[in-house]
Amino acid sequence: MAAFRDMEEVSQGLLSLLGANRAEAQLRQLLGRHERMVGRLLETQDEAEQRLRDLRALEMEAAQNLLAAKERARLADSELQELEAELRGASQEDEGLRASLGQLGLQLQELRAAQAELEHDEQEVDRTTTISIPAAVYVAQLYRRISKIEWDYENDPGTIRGIHHGPSVAQPISLDASQLSKKFISDYLWALVDTEW
């Protein structure tokens, strides 16, 4: 703005110089002003060019920063998508594990119930065995005394063997249970028992 005012003043000065015949002094004065004005104009132009260069450098830096920020945002978005996929997979795995855990819990309850039943059965067997073993031994001894038969327990299944200690002579017993009826075997063995007391 100042440069235009100076130019206007120079122009008016030239006009007045022509009109007043003090031409030489005013011409020098106007030429000095003109030189100062051109110098200021060149300085202003240099400053404007420097500011323009600085502005372009700032714009370039801002553009590079913007591109870098966009790349970081793209990488962050990609990483976020990967994390979301992993989270979905982990959630599905967690649901599967929870279902398996529920099934294992049911199996554990069933096993505990079976264990409790088994312990109850063992206690019952122990109680029954404690009571019945002496009774069974007594009954077996009683049968042996009455029947006077000494059984051979180391034979094949389906074969009945032993020794009958009769009134006068010991007699071996060997019966094939697969070929004889149970009634026949029972009658045969009862026939060996001495009825005289």
Side-chain angles (χ1 to χ4, degrees):
M1 291 295 245
F4 290 115
R5 270 189 260 124
D6 288 344
M7 286 177 76
E8 190 177 334
E9 286 178 15
V10 168
S11 299
Q12 287 175 358
L14 284 174
L15 287 173
S16 65
L17 178 65
L18 291 174
N21 277 329
R22 291 185 278 152
E24 191 174 328
Q26 282 186 346
L27 187 57
R28 279 191 198 138
Q29 186 181 12
L30 288 175
L31 284 175
R33 274 188 174 175
H34 188 277
E35 264 183 54
R36 286 191 306 271
M37 181 183 69
V38 169
R40 274 193 249 148
L41 191 60
L42 289 175
E43 285 176 13
T44 304
Q45 185 178 359
D46 288 343
E47 287 177 11
E49 287 176 356
Q50 183 59 42
R51 286 184 183 171
L52 187 59
R53 281 191 297 271
D54 292 345
L55 183 62
R56 284 185 183 156
L58 285 174
E59 285 177 348
M60 185 67 89
E61 184 179 346
Q64 288 174 350
N65 288 341
L66 180 63
L67 289 174
K70 282 184 178 180
E71 181 63 19
R72 284 193 303 272
R74 187 188 65 77
L75 291 174
D77 186 50
S78 174
E79 187 176 342
L80 179 63
Q81 288 177 357
E82 288 176 10
L83 289 173
E84 286 175 345
E86 287 178 18
L87 181 62
R88 283 191 298 273
S91 295
Q92 291 173 351
E93 186 177 339
D94 183 50
E95 288 174 11
L97 288 174
R98 285 181 191 220
S100 297
L101 184 61
Q103 290 175 348
L104 289 174
L106 291 174
Q107 290 176 357
L108 180 61
Q109 287 177 353
E110 291 172 2
L111 287 173
R112 284 183 179 159
Q115 182 182 10
E117 187 176 335
L118 182 61
E119 287 173 0
H120 178 265
D121 290 347
E122 285 177 357
Q123 290 172 356
E124 188 66 27
V125 165
D126 287 345
R127 188 179 62 76
T128 305
T129 305
T130 306
I131 293 169
S132 64
I133 285 180
V137 169
Y138 173 75
V139 169
Q141 288 175 351
L142 183 63
Y143 284 152
R144 183 167 190 234
R145 283 193 181 182
I146 292 173
S147 67
K148 297 181 182 172
I149 297 174
E150 185 180 328
W151 295 106
D152 179 9
Y153 295 107
E154 296 179 6
N155 55 13
D156 296 330
T159 304
I160 300 170
R161 285 195 183 152
I163 298 174
H164 177 255
H165 299 279
S168 57
V169 179
Q171 178 184 358
I173 300 171
S174 181
L175 302 172
D176 187 357
S178 63
Q179 294 182 359
L180 301 172
S181 72
K182 290 181 181 179
K183 182 179 182 324
F184 175 80
I185 293 171
S186 176
D187 289 344
Y188 176 79
L189 293 174
W190 277 113
L192 295 174
V193 175
D194 189 10
T195 55
E196 292 182 14
W197 294 85

